[in-house]
Structures are given as structure tokens and as C-alpha cells.
Amino acid sequence: MKGYAMLEIGKTGWIEKERPVCGPRDAIIKPLAVSPCSSDVHTVWEGAIGQRHNMILGHEGCGIVDEVGEFVEDFKPGDRVMVAAITPDWSSLEAQAGFPMHSGGMLAGWKFSNFKDGVFGEYFHVNDADANLAHLPDSISPEEACMLSDMVPTGFHGVELADIKFGDTVLCIGIGPVGLMAVAGSNLRGASQIIAVGTRPNCVEAAKFYGATDIISYKDGDIAEQALALTDGKGVDRVVIAGGGVETFEPAVKALKPGGKIGNVNYLGAGEYISIPRVEWGVGMGHKQIIGGLMPGGRLRMEKLAKLVELGKLDVTHLITHRFNGMDKIEDALYLMKDKPKDLIKPVVVL
Ligand code: NAD
Ligand code: ZN
């Protein structure tokens, strides 16, 4: 079969591979739509997780079940399915401990375009099919389902990590598609003031649609100073980091009230260390928590998030700015994600 792959760090191209083999609990999926992610860009062009050779890229998609293993109970060939970007081994000890995304080792629940071929192929393999697939409701289009694969669950996980509560003041650093979903999730959780950090006009407009009350730009100066100015110098209760690099932790800590929480879902592609400002971190005693996490994945989460879309509580269509048709357009869509033109939020390729 054909697939669009990372050939090595900095190089991509089309390759031929064997169709994946279906184990007894697995499924083989024929994609209906796929979407490239900023994470693919970190992986290929920053070499952020190290060298990979001839690995099919992509982890965001939905499709039609082509084959299932003998122990798969709830899915059969022909079913339309959503697939989360993270596909843990649900019987692992890490999953039992509450961290399915780290099943088998740190970040090892993230298999597509990390430890195995991803979704930019004619077929792709899903482990633990009963736990990692979800039926795609008729009212949700394949392109919307792609947003439910990673952008929605990751942005919302940032909100979970920051533990956003009714009336909280929130700073959301980054309003690409992930940050936009963090804004939407904060809004659904009842945040009051939502200060979004971003510059691209499409993203700013979408951030307002999803509930941002204030927009600031890191290009206009220090994020913390701007956030403090918008909160009468008091700071914010919660921060979600969904963009920028290792340097964002400093303004995040500075803008945060004592007792506040920072949830990071940003994939830090470069830099050796994150520096935390000593004084603003309460000289070590400020009760300012920082937690970073990969989104958990799983069928239950996808079904619940899809329900928000089905019932009109979450509209993911504002994330999709570029639409392509046909597998050969995957390359164009990925390069769009790499080059980030000003009018881009998220591209989707319908196959
Ligand atoms: P994006 O590039 O579209 O958006 C990044 C945002 O950050 C933009 O709004 C940009 O203006 C802002 N930004 C850039 N530099 C900044 C700076 N110095 N200070 C403040 N803001 C800055 O990215 P995206 O597609 O929304 O993805 C966001 C991140 O989430 C990526 O790193 C991606 O790899 C990661 N990600 C993580 C997971 C997970 O499970 N944790 C899943 C998917 C994606
Ligand atoms: Zn992704």
C-alpha cells in the first residue's frame, strides 16, 4: 500500500509498505479523512522525538473498518469509526494507574507516527480496537471527526490539567487549533475571563467565537505584563499552554495567582530546559502547580466529546480553514501545517 512518510529527520515522501497485519484484538481501518498536525511538523522537521526512518505520518483521522480480529466485539467491517490520536494498551499497568497515554512507557500510548505507521496510508492499524475506536455518528462529518481525533481532546485535556472551574480567569497561551479548543473547553467549564494569546486573524476571530474575552499578542510585549494589566495586577487563576516554546513557562508562572494551576499540552520540540522564575514561583512556596500531559485517548472520551458536537454544544467547523480531496493532497496539507500561512487554522484531506 501507499503511504506518506517521514523518510528521516527533515525529509518526507511517498513510500510503498505492506498492508498492516490485524492481530486478534485489532482493527485495520481505511481512512475517510485525515488531518496533519503541528506534532507531525515537530517530529519531522525538528527531530523532536529522534530519528525515524520510513514511518508513515499522521495520527488524526477517521475511517471505515476494513478488518477486525477474532476477539473484537463491537466493531465490524463497514462501520464508520472515529479514532483518537492516542491509542493506549488499556490492559497495561499504566492505564490501570490512570495514565493510559503512558501505557508501555512515557508517551507510549502515542503510537501513530511515533512508534508505528500512522494514518496517512491506504490502511492503518489500531490496537485494542474495542477500546480505541468509537462509532462515528451519522450527523458528524469525516472532517469534523478528524478534529475529534486530537484537537478537541488535547485542548480539553489542557483544561482538565489546569483544573478550570466556574468563574475562573484563564490565560490561554496559543490559539492554534489546540489552543482554540482549550478556549472552548474553558468556556464550557464556566471560566469567566478568558485571555487568549495569538496573532493570526483567523485564530483571533475563532478564539472570540469560542469564548475568549480578551486577546493579547506575544508580539506586543511580555505576555505576563499584558495579562496582569487585564486583571488589575492580580493575575489569572489558571493557564493553559498550547503554543510557543520552552520560554512560555516563565510568563505563565508570572501571570498566575498563588494557588493557580498551569496545564501544558504543548509539544516542546526544542530547548534543553524549562526555566521557572524563582521569585514569582513564590521562592519555591507559591503553590503554583505546573502539569504537562499527553491527551489520554480512548473510546469513552471520544464518544463523550462527539456528543457535544452532535448536540450542538461544540462546533468544530471553525477550526477547518483548508479542505483537500484525494490522498495525493496529503503532502500539500502537511506543508501547509509546516509553513503556517496567516489564514491557516487546520487543513483536512478527505479521501
Ligand atoms: P499552532 O502552531 O497552530 O498554534 C500555536 C499557537 O501558539 C499560535 O496561536 C501562536 O500564535 C502561538 N505562539 C507561537 N509562539 C508563541 C510564543 N512565543 N508565545 C506565545 N504564543 C506563541 O499549533 P497547534 O496545532 O494548535 O498545536 C499546539 C501544540 O500542541 C503543538 O506543539 C502541538 O504539537 C501540540 N499538541 C499536543 C498534543 C498533546 O496530546 N499534548 C496533541 C496535539 C498537538
Ligand atoms: Zn495531532
Side-chain angles (χ1 to χ4, degrees):
M1 65 168 202
K2 200 167 85 162
Y4 193 73
M6 169 172 177
L7 306 178
E8 61 182 40
I9 292 174
K11 268 197 191 161
T12 58
W14 291 99
I15 57 168
E16 281 291 327
K17 277 216 164 166
E18 291 296 314
R19 186 185 191 276
V21 175
C22 190
R25 297 184 193 282
D26 308 343
I28 303 300
I29 310 297
K30 193 171 171 46
L32 276 171
V34 297
S35 183
C37 179
S38 299
S39 301
D40 293 310
V41 175
H42 292 303
T43 302
V44 176
W45 285 283
E46 291 175 16
I49 50 171
Q51 188 58 277
R52 298 287 188 278
H53 289 288
N54 300 332
M55 175 183 73
I56 296 179
L57 288 165
H59 50 261
E60 301 179 12
C62 63
I64 294 184
V65 176
D66 195 68
E67 184 184 349
V68 292
E70 58 181 310
F71 298 140
V72 174
E73 292 181 357
D74 298 338
F75 299 90
K76 58 181 189 317
D79 287 352
R80 281 185 0 139
V81 288
M82 300 183 280
V83 190
I86 306 303
T87 51
D89 298 310
W90 289 93
S91 55
S92 65
L93 296 180
E94 293 87 354
Q96 289 181 33
F99 296 96
M101 67 297 270
H102 303 301
S103 61
M106 188 152 65
L107 309 181
W110 167 25
K111 299 183 192 303
F112 295 132
S113 65
N114 182 4
F115 296 120
K116 74 174 187 187
D117 285 325
V119 303
F120 293 171
E122 286 178 81
Y123 298 93
F124 63 89
H125 168 273
V126 176
N127 57 293
D128 262 1
D130 279 324
N132 284 321
L133 297 176
H135 290 286
L136 175 56
D138 290 339
S139 62
I140 297 183
S141 69
E143 56 178 51
E144 290 173 304
C146 286
M147 300 302 108
L148 285 162
S149 212
D150 195 3
M151 299 299 95
V152 179
T154 296
F156 279 35
H157 191 50
V159 171
E160 289 173 328
L161 294 175
D163 189 23
I164 291 168
K165 299 212 163 36
F166 297 127
D168 276 346
T169 298
V170 177
L171 173 65
C172 185
I173 301 180
I175 45 169
V178 173
L180 287 170
M181 288 301 94
V183 170
S186 302
N187 201 41
L188 280 167
R189 281 232 174 157
S192 53
Q193 189 177 15
I194 303 176
I195 304 168
V197 184
T199 50
R200 282 177 272 163
N202 266 354
C203 295
V204 167
E205 198 186 313
K208 289 178 184 161
F209 171 80
Y210 286 120
T213 53
D214 302 85
I215 307 286
I216 60 180
S217 170
Y218 61 94
K219 294 183 177 163
D220 293 341
D222 187 66
I223 297 171
E225 279 173 22
Q226 295 182 68
L228 286 163
L230 286 168
T231 52
D232 298 326
K234 294 197 176 88
V236 298
D237 299 299
R238 302 290 191 253
V239 181
V240 180
I241 304 179
V246 289
E247 73 287 351
T248 53
F249 289 81
E250 192 169 331
V253 168
K254 286 183 177 169
L256 194 64
K257 286 181 193 168
K261 294 183 184 177
I262 298 170
N264 174 75
V265 284
N266 199 15
Y267 173 174
L268 300 168
E272 284 302 302
Y273 295 98
I274 291 163
S275 65
I276 298 171
R278 180 183 60 86
V279 172
E280 289 85 354
W281 203 44
V283 291
M285 298 175 283
H287 291 102
K288 297 190 183 188
Q289 296 182 42
I290 304 170
I291 178 158
L294 178 67
M295 70 96 161
R299 176 177 175 177
L300 178 66
R301 179 171 292 259
M302 268 189 298
E303 287 180 353
K304 285 189 169 184
L305 295 177
K307 198 104 191 167
L308 288 171
V309 174
E310 271 190 286
L311 297 177
K313 299 206 171 187
L314 176 66
D315 179 354
V316 295
T317 59
H318 290 249
L319 298 179
I320 306 164
T321 50
H322 293 67
R323 293 170 170 83
F324 294 91
N325 278 297
M327 193 171 179
D328 53 348
K329 293 293 192 308
I330 287 175
E331 181 165 38
D332 294 351
L334 178 65
Y335 272 79
L336 210 52
M337 213 58 195
K338 174 176 184 277
D339 299 337
K340 300 251 158 84
K342 280 208 174 331
D343 61 343
L344 176 81
I345 302 181
K346 191 83 181 170
V348 172
V349 185
V350 177
L351 303 165

